């Protein structure tokens, strides 16, 4: 019976889920190793630095993932799009490094400036190569490549975590360098392999006019991506300043487990996002609405099961990570509700992008971030990491409500025009 049910699943989803499952297992082991080795203080310092780079990273990408998926209709258009992406990134990279340096120096003085810059290079360059390669494969339904890459990257991180474990001193610095190097090297190699395998001759495009056009088109994706990253990352930088690195470490532990638990839904969204664009290309608004409802219902079933499982497993955290993380048990039980909220609003946000309302998506996401930052500044001084949890959940609930209203409005508007 199980084999028959498996055969009925789309192969693209099976491969995407397989890759993320392998990534889940391998990164869970590396996460346990690193968190236990660095302790709450060291792990908190790394998490705060990574959070800052992830918030800035979308400005280097400028919507490259979504634009690559959209421009994959013909080989020539895809090659031109990738050429523009690479040249736009090379122009924006120095600016991103400069902003990262200034932000680290002014706002996060506990961080090692040199290590933060190196981490930024790994994230800004390596992750951009990775996302663009994944977009090419997703648009061509080559999900098996992405699955193999996910597991390969995660295996490299696990080996890096074992290497850090063997180091006697300077483990925090070593992990900064290891993480940046792994993403930089593996991301570039994956991009190179993908373009060679598809015989994509990059070089066309990339004129100044094309770069300006990409900036004009991509800024809504950049701000939207920054806002999305800020939901799960910016609170760590605020927490570092207001409550210290150990609090960041305990909070980051719970948030990281939520992100890992969300991977199966990510697999679903990786597969469904390109199809949303195809439905809109055919002007099938009604079909998109029905498709979106199926995605949300599927995500909800998994989310509820995931929350119940996390409630049961949360007391085991001190056994895995050490008694220093004992309070993360209560944090995880509370923040687990975010899986349900994200399982509903992420598909809605993807649908808004496919329908051509990326600017609207950016605006409502920024509104949620503003609520998140405001609540963090109010609650963290008195509640520390628990204040960050309440802010995280409340802002995501606000985003869910607003996104739900807007997707109904957008659908009615497009149907009326049709």
């Amino acid at each position: 019976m199980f084999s028959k049910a498996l055969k009925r699943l789309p192969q693209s989803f099976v491969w995407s889920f397989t890759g993320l499952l392998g990534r889940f297992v391998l990164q869970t082991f590396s996460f346990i190793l690193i968190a236990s080795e660095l302790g709450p203080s060291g792990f908190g310092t790394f998490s705060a630095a990574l959070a800052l780079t992830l918030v800035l990273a979308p400005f280097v990408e400028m919507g490259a993932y979504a634009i690559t998926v959209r421009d994959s209709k013909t080989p020539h258009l895809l090659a031109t799009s990738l050429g523009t992406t690479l040249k736009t990134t090379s122009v924006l990279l120095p600016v991103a490094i400069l902003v990262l340096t200034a932000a680290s120096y002014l706002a996060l003085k506990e961080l090692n400036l040199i290590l933060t810059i190196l981490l930024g290079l790994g994230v800004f360059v390596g992750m951009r190569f990775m996302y663009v390669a994944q977009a090419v494969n997703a648009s061509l339904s080559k999900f098996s490549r992405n699955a193999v890459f996910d597991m390969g990257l995660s295996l490299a991180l696990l080996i890096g975590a074992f290497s850090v474990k063997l180091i006697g001193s300077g483990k925090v610095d070593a992990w900064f360098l290891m993480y940046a190097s792994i993403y930089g090297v593996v991301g570039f190699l994956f991009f190179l392999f993908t373009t060679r395998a598809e015989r994509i001759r990059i070089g066309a495009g990339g004129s100044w006019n094309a770069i300006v056009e990409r900036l004009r088109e991509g800024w809504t994706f950049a701000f939207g991506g920054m806002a999305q990253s800020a939901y799960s990352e910016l609170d760590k930088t605020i927490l570092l300043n207001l409550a210290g690195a150990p609090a960041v470490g305990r909070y980051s532990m719970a948030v990281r487990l939520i992100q890992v638990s969300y991977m199966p839904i990510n697999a679903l969204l990786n597969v469904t996002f390109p199809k949303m664009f195809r439905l809109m290309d055919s002007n099938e608004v009604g079909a998109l609405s029905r498709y979106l409802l199926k995605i949300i219902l599927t995500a909800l079933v998994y989310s509820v099961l995931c929350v119940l499982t996390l409630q049961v497993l949360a007391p085991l955290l001190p056994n895995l990570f050490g008694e220093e993380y004992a309070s993360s048990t209560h944090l995880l039980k509370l923040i687990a509700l975010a899986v349900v909220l994200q399982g509903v609003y992420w598909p809605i946000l993807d649908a808004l992008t496919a329908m051509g309302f990326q600017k609207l998506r950016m605006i409502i996401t920024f509104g949620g971030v503003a609520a998140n930052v405001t609540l963090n500044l109010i609650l963290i001084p008195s509640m520390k990491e628990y204040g960050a949890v309440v802010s995280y959940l409340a802002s995501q609930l606000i985003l869910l409500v607003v996104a739900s209203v807007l997707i109904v409005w957008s659908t009615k508007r497009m149907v009326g025009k049709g």
Side-chain angles (χ1 to χ4, degrees):
M1 182 178 295
F2 177 76
S3 60
K4 290 182 180 179
L6 187 62
K7 288 179 181 178
R8 287 197 294 267
L9 288 172
Q11 188 179 33
S12 56
F13 175 78
V14 173
W15 272 114
S16 186
F17 180 78
T18 300
L20 286 175
L21 180 63
R23 181 179 173 184
F24 165 79
V25 173
L26 293 171
Q27 289 200 15
T28 296
F29 281 119
S30 62
F31 174 51
I32 292 172
L33 276 173
I34 285 300
S36 58
E37 285 298 315
L38 302 186
S41 181
F43 185 65
T45 300
F46 170 76
S47 297
L50 181 61
L52 185 57
T53 60
L54 291 176
V55 169
L56 295 174
F59 288 99
V60 182
E61 183 179 351
M62 279 288 164
Y65 185 95
I67 292 173
T68 300
V69 171
R70 185 200 64 191
D71 292 346
S72 60
K73 301 170 185 176
T74 63
H76 173 72
L77 184 60
L78 179 60
T80 301
S81 179
L82 291 180
T84 302
T85 294
L86 293 182
K87 292 181 180 179
T88 303
T89 297
S90 66
V91 170
L92 294 175
L93 180 61
V95 179
I97 292 296
L98 182 62
V99 173
L100 175 64
T101 303
S104 301
Y105 178 76
L106 296 174
L108 300 174
K109 295 184 178 180
E110 292 188 36
L111 300 181
N112 184 308
L113 191 58
I114 301 299
L115 291 175
T116 303
I117 292 172
L118 292 175
L119 180 65
L121 285 171
V123 170
F124 294 156
V125 178
M127 281 191 181
R128 296 324 100 196
F129 278 122
M130 178 185 76
Y131 288 155
V132 171
Q134 287 179 329
V136 171
N137 290 323
S139 63
L140 299 176
S141 297
K142 300 291 180 69
F143 290 96
S144 57
R145 280 191 198 144
N146 285 345
V148 173
F149 167 73
D150 276 334
M151 289 186 280
L153 176 65
S154 302
L155 180 60
L157 288 171
L158 180 59
I159 294 172
F162 270 114
S163 301
V164 170
K165 183 178 177 61
L166 300 176
I167 297 174
S169 59
K171 292 183 179 181
V172 176
D173 295 354
W175 182 240
F176 267 84
L177 296 174
M178 194 75 68
Y179 192 94
S181 300
I182 289 171
Y183 265 98
V185 173
V186 177
F188 173 74
L189 291 178
F190 182 53
F191 176 82
L192 187 63
F193 172 82
T194 299
T195 53
R196 292 289 180 86
E198 295 301 324
R199 298 180 181 179
I200 300 172
R201 296 177 61 86
I202 300 173
S207 65
W208 280 110
N209 287 338
I211 293 173
V212 171
E213 176 61 23
R214 174 60 61 86
L215 294 175
R216 185 193 67 78
E217 180 182 29
W219 73 270
T220 57
F221 290 97
F223 277 98
M226 188 200 77
Q228 290 166 7
S229 296
Y231 263 114
S232 57
E233 305 298 341
L234 193 60
D235 45 11
K236 300 182 184 69
T237 63
I238 297 174
L239 197 59
L240 180 66
N241 281 317
L242 298 181
V248 180
R250 292 188 293 268
Y251 173 71
S252 298
M253 162 75 69
V255 171
R256 176 60 179 158
L257 287 173
I258 294 302
Q259 293 171 339
V260 168
S261 301
Y262 193 73
M263 283 184 179
I265 300 180
N266 275 335
L268 179 66
L269 297 180
N270 287 342
V271 174
T272 56
F273 190 50
K275 185 174 179 178
M276 288 182 179
F277 277 102
R278 290 195 293 270
L279 289 173
M280 287 311 302
D281 284 341
S282 304
N283 199 29
E284 299 180 38
V285 181
L288 176 61
S289 298
R290 293 189 294 272
Y291 189 55
L292 175 61
L293 182 60
K294 289 180 181 179
I295 297 169
I296 291 174
L297 291 176
T298 302
L300 270 178
V301 171
Y302 168 79
S303 299
V304 172
L305 292 174
C306 181
V307 170
L308 294 175
T309 302
L310 289 173
Q311 302 303 311
V312 175
L313 297 180
L316 300 178
L317 291 185
N319 298 329
L320 292 174
F321 299 96
E323 289 298 327
E324 294 172 303
Y325 290 99
S327 64
S328 295
T329 296
H330 306 292
L331 296 174
L332 180 60
K333 286 184 176 182
L334 291 173
I335 208 169
L337 296 173
V339 180
V340 176
L341 299 175
Q342 293 173 6
V344 178
Y345 78 68
W346 272 110
I348 293 176
L349 293 180
D350 280 351
L352 286 172
T353 297
M355 293 168 70
F357 293 106
Q358 174 61 30
K359 186 179 293 187
L360 185 61
R361 174 179 181 168
M362 178 200 71
I363 292 171
I364 62 174
T365 307
F366 256 102
V369 172
N372 187 24
V373 170
T374 302
L375 288 171
N376 273 313
L377 293 174
I378 294 172
L379 298 178
I380 285 178
S382 59
M383 299 175 64
K384 298 188 183 301
E385 55 263 44
Y386 286 95
V389 170
V390 173
S391 303
Y392 189 80
L393 293 174
S395 59
Q396 292 203 0
L397 180 59
I398 293 171
L399 178 59
L400 170 59
V401 172
V402 176
S404 300
V405 172
L406 288 177
I407 192 65
V408 173
W409 171 82
S410 302
T411 302
K412 288 182 177 179
R413 180 183 178 188
M414 296 197 73
V415 170
K417 285 185 175 181

